[in-house]
Amino acid sequence: MSAVSTVITVLSLVLLFHAGYSAYEFSHYIKHLAANANATLPVDIVAETVVATALFALGQVLAANKLQPVEFAKWAKGLEREGKSPFASLEQRPGFMNVNKLREEYASTKE
Amino acid sequence: MTTIIDTLRNAHTTSSYLSLSSESFDALYDTSYQFITSGAAARSLQPDNLYNVFELQFFLSIIAGKDSEASTILTTLTDRFGQDSNRVGVLKCIYLEATAGAGQALEFASARPDTELGTLKRKIVILKSTNQSSLYITELLKLVDNFPSDAESWAELASAYLDAGMYAQSIFALHEVLLLVPLAYNINALVGETLLLYVSSLQSSTNTTHSLAVEEKLIEAVKFFLRSVELCEDYVRGWTGVLVATKRITEIKKPFGDTSKYKRLYDVAKKTLTKIVDAKDASDQDLNAAKAVLKNY
């Protein structure tokens, strides 16, 4: 998780907690202190919740790993550059390796 | 930055140790050896990756001539997977080939069940070291008859035909590989390269007027090289192939068909290769090869 995404996620969680606590306080106020019991939840608490959700989503998206290419050609180019080609074994053919020849070649480079 | 685990996993899947330079091989061996003996491998890897790393270390140590180390790894793997396991059988066979000689190895391989592809391949390799190349091809043909869906066997057959100079048969075997692994851009490039070799051999043997067969083969080579660059963007091997093949086509003085589009393809290939070389967008080996081809074609 990068620094920016951590900050945004933490901020969104703080906002969410604040919105929730505000809603609890409001329900307490309605039950014990208010004259009319028909007041609905204030719009700013609702807005705070929505903003907190949106920020959380943004924070998590920013924390994602580097995206891989979707097209085969571009993905194959990336693999070739890193030396990880999935088709290399067709040209190396380890099932048919000539062990003695490889051992001789290695030993000859060591002399 | 690639981690040690990544490096070892790549070396295992691509079998790069079969054709590394001496320094790279030693570096790989040291990395793998340190990783295993320090206990880091056992601590940080899941079982399937761990045993793959052991298998890699087996191959590295057997090539480096460290037989006792290879024997230890083989014992560990046999204890874990048992004598009947396919991969353990192959490793045991390789160990016998290296230390005890062809006779014992052949005996061991023949005692394995004949549905086991790995040891069948080892048997053929042992026979090759004691016989001529025509027998090798015959044995490989029997193998692909029984296991037609194994791409590696077809690729080995293609390589054997190529060594024997039988280009048409080699190309046929490579077509079979492509039927099994159609997205293998390196094999598409290899078909193109084999076709260019075939054309060279045809031209040197007849060396009179230009024949239709040569022109058709050159056009086919261009198609396969283009397929390889379609499958892998900025594939240097593919683009150099397109450059060479289109150059040969445009050099034909009296072609049988219309070859104007090959001039345009030549220009595209030249432009792409110069762009890759200027941006240094490939490995050093590839860049050197691209520069050499651009100079001569």
Side-chain angles (χ1 to χ4, degrees):
Chain A
M1 289 250 286
S2 70
V4 172
S5 74
T6 321
V7 163
I8 293 179
T9 311
V10 166
L11 178 66
S12 74
L13 291 174
V14 165
L15 277 179
L16 191 64
F17 175 77
H18 182 258
Y21 189 70
S22 306
Y24 162 74
E25 289 274 296
F26 175 75
S27 77
H28 192 269
Y29 171 75
I30 286 288
K31 272 188 242 172
H32 301 282
L33 304 167
N36 64 338
N38 291 333
T40 56
L41 190 65
V43 72
D44 55 338
I45 297 182
V46 175
E48 197 176 353
T49 321
V50 169
V51 166
T53 315
L55 271 183
F56 182 80
L58 179 67
Q60 286 308 294
V61 163
L62 288 175
N65 290 328
K66 185 163 170 278
L67 296 179
Q68 302 293 315
V70 173
E71 286 178 36
F72 183 91
K74 294 188 170 53
W75 170 73
K77 175 181 175 176
L79 286 186
E80 269 292 309
R81 293 286 280 129
E82 292 171 17
K84 284 194 222 175
S85 166
F87 309 110
S89 62
L90 286 171
E91 291 197 278
Q92 302 280 27
R93 297 185 291 275
F96 289 98
M97 71 166 94
N98 189 341
V99 198
N100 290 317
K101 189 163 92 128
L102 288 164
R103 279 158 73 90
E104 273 165 28
E105 280 169 7
Y106 181 81
S108 67
T109 65
K110 287 295 155 195
E111 276 151 24
Chain B
M1 198 194 87
T2 45
T3 60
I4 294 180
I5 297 178
D6 266 344
T7 320
L8 295 180
R9 190 186 308 138
N10 291 346
H12 184 260
T13 43
T14 61
S15 302
S16 55
Y17 48 86
L18 292 176
S19 54
L20 280 178
S21 69
S22 178
E23 301 86 32
S24 317
F25 183 91
D26 285 333
L28 181 63
Y29 179 86
D30 288 331
T31 317
S32 181
Y33 186 77
Q34 296 292 345
F35 189 56
I36 295 178
T37 51
S38 68
R43 274 197 301 273
S44 54
L45 287 177
Q46 295 294 320
D48 58 346
N49 278 331
L50 179 64
Y51 292 115
N52 282 341
V53 168
F54 284 172
E55 194 180 20
L56 174 67
Q57 183 59 25
F58 175 86
F59 289 129
L60 292 175
S61 51
I62 202 101
I63 292 173
K66 301 191 168 34
D67 298 342
S68 56
E69 193 183 305
S71 171
T72 322
I73 300 174
L74 185 58
T75 322
T76 318
L77 289 171
T78 320
D79 288 341
R80 169 65 185 82
F81 294 105
Q83 299 274 13
D84 296 333
S85 156
N86 285 11
R87 283 165 78 167
V88 166
V90 169
L91 296 183
K92 179 93 200 268
C93 201
I94 291 177
Y95 180 77
L96 287 174
E97 276 173 58
T99 52
Q104 262 197 297
L106 197 54
E107 217 178 282
F108 177 79
S110 309
R112 306 288 291 187
D114 61 359
T115 49
E116 200 175 85
L117 185 56
T119 37
L120 281 175
K121 289 182 185 174
R122 298 316 311 166
K123 213 155 76 163
I124 293 179
V125 171
I126 301 167
L127 288 173
K128 178 190 186 183
S129 62
T130 53
N131 287 303
Q132 322 91 311
S133 72
S134 58
L135 205 58
Y136 186 54
I137 290 178
T138 322
E139 289 296 317
L140 276 175
L141 282 171
K142 276 195 237 162
L143 182 67
V144 296
D145 246 348
N146 291 323
F147 296 90
S149 59
D150 184 38
E152 194 186 40
S153 310
W154 282 111
E156 182 69 15
L157 183 62
S159 167
Y161 274 134
L162 191 64
D163 289 338
M166 299 155 79
Y167 298 109
Q169 291 88 334
S170 177
I171 291 164
F172 175 82
L174 286 174
H175 283 318
E176 291 286 334
V177 174
L178 286 177
L179 281 176
L180 295 164
V181 199
L183 299 177
Y185 45 85
N186 55 345
I187 303 291
N188 276 295
L190 186 61
V191 176
E193 287 162 6
T194 317
L195 279 164
L196 286 179
L197 283 172
Y198 190 21
V199 160
S200 297
S201 82
L202 283 177
Q203 282 176 325
S204 69
S205 67
T206 58
N207 82 349
T208 48
T209 51
H210 165 69
S211 73
L212 180 63
V214 163
E215 186 167 316
E216 280 177 351
K217 295 273 170 286
L218 283 173
I219 291 175
E220 217 180 305
V222 173
K223 286 206 178 97
F224 276 102
F225 282 124
L226 288 175
R227 179 78 179 128
S228 78
V229 298
E230 185 187 348
L231 288 169
C232 178
E233 219 177 57
D234 291 344
Y235 190 39
V236 170
R237 189 173 167 190
W239 282 116
T240 50
V242 176
L243 194 77
V244 170
T246 47
K247 180 79 190 232
R248 295 238 181 112
I249 291 180
T250 55
E251 277 171 353
I252 300 171
K253 293 192 233 344
K254 283 204 289 247
F256 289 92
D258 175 31
T259 59
S260 57
K261 71 173 174 187
Y262 296 102
K263 181 71 181 68
R264 294 202 298 275
L265 276 171
Y266 174 80
D267 294 332
V268 169
K270 195 156 193 136
K271 202 166 74 170
T272 320
L273 270 178
T274 8
K275 189 181 77 164
I276 296 173
V277 167
D278 289 339
K280 292 203 179 3
D281 195 14
S283 69
D284 286 331
Q285 218 181 5
D286 280 347
L287 286 174
N288 291 334
K291 283 182 201 152
V293 173
L294 278 171
K295 208 156 53 152
N296 293 322
Y297 282 90

